C-alpha cells in the first residue's frame, strides 16, 4: 500500500511539472523554430543528466537496455517535443489540451502491450469517461483548429504514451531519473548536431519569454518531471498512475491563463471535479 501511495504521489508531482510544457512550448516557438527548440531542450537536459550520472556514479545500462532506451528517445526526447512544437504553430495551447486528455489511454494501452499489465474492465470505463470529459471540455473551449495541428498532436500522444510505458518498465530496473538521463545522453550527439545546424540566424529578436519557455521545457519538462513521473509509474503501475494525466489539461489551462492571458471559465472547475472522480475510480480498479 505504501509503495502504491508513493507512486501516485510521485506521479502527481510529475503531472504538475508537465502541465507547464505546452504553454511554455507555445511561448518558446514564438522565438525559436520547432526543430531547434526540440534539439536544444534535449541537449540542455542531457548535460544536466550526464552530470547527475557522473556525480552519483551510476552503472551503465546493459546491452539489453539499449532497445528500450531507444524507444524512450523516440517517444519523449524527440517525438513528443517536436510534434507538439510543430502542432502549436497551427493550434492554440488550449486546443492542444484536447489530446493531452487522450494520453492516459495511450499510456494504458502501451502498458498492456509492453508492460504486461491487465487492469480490470471497470478501469477502462473510468478511463474512457475521464478522457471524454477532458476532450469534451477542451474541444468546446479550444476554438478553431487546424487539421494539420490535430494530426500532429495525435501522433505526439501515441509516441508519448509509448515512451512513458517503455520508460516505466525500464525504471523498475534502472530507476526513474536514470532512465531519462541515459536516454538523453544517448541522444546527445544527434541532438547537438541538429541544434548546431538549426541555430537562429539572429539572436537579438528573441524575447525573454521565449528564453524562459526554452529553459522550462529543458530543465523541468525534459528532465525533472520525468524523475518523478517514471518513479510514479514504476511504483504505482503504468495503467493506474497514468490516469493522473487526466488532470494535466486543467493544470495546463490554469498556467496558460497566467502566462498567456487566457480566461479560466467556471466550467473548468466543474469538469475538473468530474475528472478527479474518474481518476479515483480508475485507481481503484487498476
Amino acid at each position: 500500500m505504501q509503495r502504491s501511495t508513493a507512486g501516485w504521489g510521485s506521479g502527481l508531482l510529475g503531472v504538475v511539472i508537465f502541465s507547464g510544457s505546452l504553454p511554455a512550448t507555445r511561448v518558446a516557438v514564438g522565438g525559436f523554430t520547432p526543430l531547434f527548440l526540440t534539439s536544444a531542450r534535449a541537449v540542455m537536459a542531457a548535460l544536466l543528466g550526464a552530470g547527475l550520472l557522473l556525480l552519483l556514479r551510476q552503472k551503465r545500462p546493459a546491452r539489453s537496455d539499449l532497445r528500450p532506451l531507444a524507444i524512450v528517445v523516440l517517444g519523449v526526447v524527440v517525438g513528443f517535443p517536436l510534434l507538439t512544437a510543430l502542432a502549436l504553430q497551427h493550434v492554440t495551447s488550449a486546443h492542444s489540451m484536447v489530446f493531452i486528455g487522450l494520453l492516459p489511454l495511450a499510456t494504458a494501452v502501451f502498458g498492456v502491450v509492453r508492460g504486461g499489465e491487465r487492469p480490470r474492465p471497470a478501469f477502462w470505463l473510468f478511463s474512457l469517461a475521464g478522457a471524454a470529459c477532458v476532450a469534451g471540455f477542451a474541444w468546446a473551449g479550444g476554438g478553431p483548429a487546424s487539421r494539420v495541428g490535430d494530426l500532429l498532436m495525435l501522433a505526439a500522444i501515441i509516441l508519448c504514451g509509448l515512451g512513458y510505458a517503455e520508460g516505466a518498465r525500464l525504471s523498475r530496473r534502472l530507476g526513474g531519473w536514470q532512465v531519462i538521463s541515459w536516454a538523453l545522453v544517448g541522444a546527445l550527439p544527434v541532438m547537438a548536431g541538429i541544434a548546431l545546424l538549426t541555430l537562429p540566424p539572429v539572436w537579438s529578436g528573441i524575447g525573454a519569454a521565449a528564453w524562459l519557455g526554452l529553459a522550462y521545457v529543458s530543465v523541468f519538462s525534459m528532465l525533472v518531471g520525468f524523475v518523478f513521473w517514471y518513479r510514479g509509474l514504476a511504483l504505482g503501475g503504468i495503467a493506474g498512475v497514468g490516469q493522473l494525466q487526466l488532470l494535466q489539461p486543467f493544470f495546463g489551462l490554469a498556467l496558460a491563463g497566467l502566462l498567456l492571458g487566457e480566461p479560466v471559465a467556471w466550467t473548468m472547475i466543474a469538469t475538473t471535479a468530474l475528472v478527479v472522480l474518474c481518476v479515483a475510480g480508475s485507481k481503484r480498479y487498476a
Side-chain angles (χ1 to χ4, degrees):
M1 179 63 71
Q2 290 182 345
R3 180 183 176 88
S4 176
T5 301
W8 280 77
S10 183
L12 179 60
L13 186 53
V15 165
V16 172
I17 293 173
F18 288 147
S19 296
S21 297
L22 289 180
T25 300
R26 175 73 173 175
V27 172
V29 293
F32 304 103
T33 65
L35 198 54
F36 175 77
L37 177 62
T38 300
S39 55
R41 66 188 279 182
V43 169
M44 294 171 66
L47 295 176
L48 293 174
L52 288 174
L53 292 170
L54 289 173
L55 181 64
L56 300 178
R57 300 180 180 179
Q58 296 299 299
K59 185 179 179 181
R60 291 185 178 182
R63 179 173 296 181
S64 60
D65 297 328
L66 297 182
R67 183 172 178 271
L69 282 173
I71 295 176
V72 174
V73 171
L74 174 65
V76 301
V77 176
V78 179
F80 185 79
L82 177 59
L83 292 173
T84 53
L86 290 170
L88 287 169
Q89 291 187 319
H90 300 277
V91 298
T92 65
S93 60
H95 181 82
S96 68
M97 298 298 175
V98 170
F99 299 91
I100 298 299
L102 302 177
L103 188 52
L105 283 179
T107 305
V109 168
F110 284 114
V112 170
V113 174
R114 299 291 300 168
E117 296 190 355
R118 294 295 182 267
R120 304 179 198 176
F123 165 84
W124 297 106
L125 293 177
F126 279 108
S127 298
L128 289 171
C133 288
V134 173
F137 170 80
W139 187 266
S146 162
R147 181 173 297 179
V148 173
D150 289 349
L151 291 175
L152 287 169
M153 281 303 304
L154 181 60
I157 292 305
I158 294 173
L159 287 178
C160 191
L162 174 61
Y164 279 173
E166 198 68 26
R169 290 179 63 240
L170 204 54
S171 294
R172 294 167 180 167
R173 184 164 66 256
L174 298 181
W177 71 268
Q178 292 92 334
V179 167
I180 190 60
S181 295
W182 283 119
L184 288 164
V185 169
L188 179 58
V190 174
M191 302 308 283
I194 295 174
L196 289 174
L197 291 174
T198 58
L199 285 171
V202 179
W203 296 91
S204 58
I206 301 174
W211 284 108
L212 288 175
L214 173 60
Y216 186 91
V217 297
S218 300
V219 177
F220 293 97
S221 302
M222 200 80 263
L223 182 62
V224 177
F226 279 103
V227 173
F228 296 101
W229 182 240
Y230 276 152
R231 179 177 182 271
L233 292 176
L235 293 178
I238 297 172
V241 174
Q243 298 310 294
L244 287 170
Q245 294 166 104
L246 289 169
L247 301 176
Q248 185 172 330
F250 304 103
F251 292 142
L253 285 171
L255 291 173
L258 295 173
L259 295 175
L260 306 180
E262 297 179 355
V264 178
W266 66 268
T267 51
M268 172 183 170
I269 300 174
T271 312
T272 302
L274 292 175
V275 172
V276 169
L277 293 177
C278 291
V279 172
S282 64
K283 179 180 184 297
R284 177 179 178 84
Y285 294 105

